[in-house]
């Protein structure tokens, strides 16, 4: 993805909708694109996410199939908390994500302090399953 494509993708995420274009550009510059095949492990249980995931297409689910949202595990990433269950790419469609390494995330937070508020107040994920 080009930088403008990343900015466009980030702008579509509700957790980032209060950020300015300049702030989104800072985030987009640090973000790396990653596609996960359907059913691929994204983060194993017992491990803290080492990067913030921004789900642009598809979904990241827990082992029970519950969608973890467009910005899964922001608190676990920020506070280095291990996951209780595996996160996997949606079995039917995989996941296409932008990722920000934790070390870059803290630099970005200093430049865009509103990001932390947005990430930690994102509405809970809804499950696609009953």
């Amino acid at each position: 993805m080009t930088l403008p494509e990343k900015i466009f993708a980030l702008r579509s995420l509700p957790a980032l909708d209060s950020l300015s274009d300049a702030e989104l550009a800072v985030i987009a510059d640090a973000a790396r694109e990653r596609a996960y095949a359907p059913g691929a492990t994204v983060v194993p249980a017992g491990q803290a996410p080492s990067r913030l995931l921004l789900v642009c297409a598809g979904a990241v689910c827990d082992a029970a199939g519950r969608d973890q949202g467009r910005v899964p595990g922001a608190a676990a990433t920020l506070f280095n908390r291990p996951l209780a269950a595996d996160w996997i790419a949606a079995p039917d469609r995989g996941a296409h994500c932008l990722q920000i390494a934790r070390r870059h995330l803290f630099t970005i937070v200093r430049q865009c302090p509103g990001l932390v508020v947005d990430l930690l107040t994102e509405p809970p994920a809804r499950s696609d399953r009953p």
Side-chain angles (χ1 to χ4, degrees), residues 4-23:
E5 289 170 331
K6 288 179 186 179
I7 292 169
F8 184 77
L10 294 171
R11 187 174 291 138
S12 74
L13 299 174
L16 306 180
D17 62 2
S18 72
L19 299 178
S20 70
D21 287 345
E23 290 170 320

Side-chain angles (χ1 to χ4, degrees), residues 58-114:
V60 172
C61 305
D62 66 12
R66 291 181 294 265
D67 187 332
Q68 296 300 296
R70 302 283 305 273
V71 185
T77 305
L78 286 166
F79 303 117
N80 202 29
R81 292 185 191 149
L83 301 179
D86 286 341
W87 281 355
I88 60 169
D92 58 339
R93 59 192 189 272
H96 188 145
C97 303
L98 290 174
Q99 306 180 130
I100 301 170
R102 189 182 299 121
R103 69 182 185 278
H104 296 302
L105 183 58
F106 291 113
T107 301
I108 291 168
V109 165
R110 283 195 297 274
Q111 295 174 325
C112 312

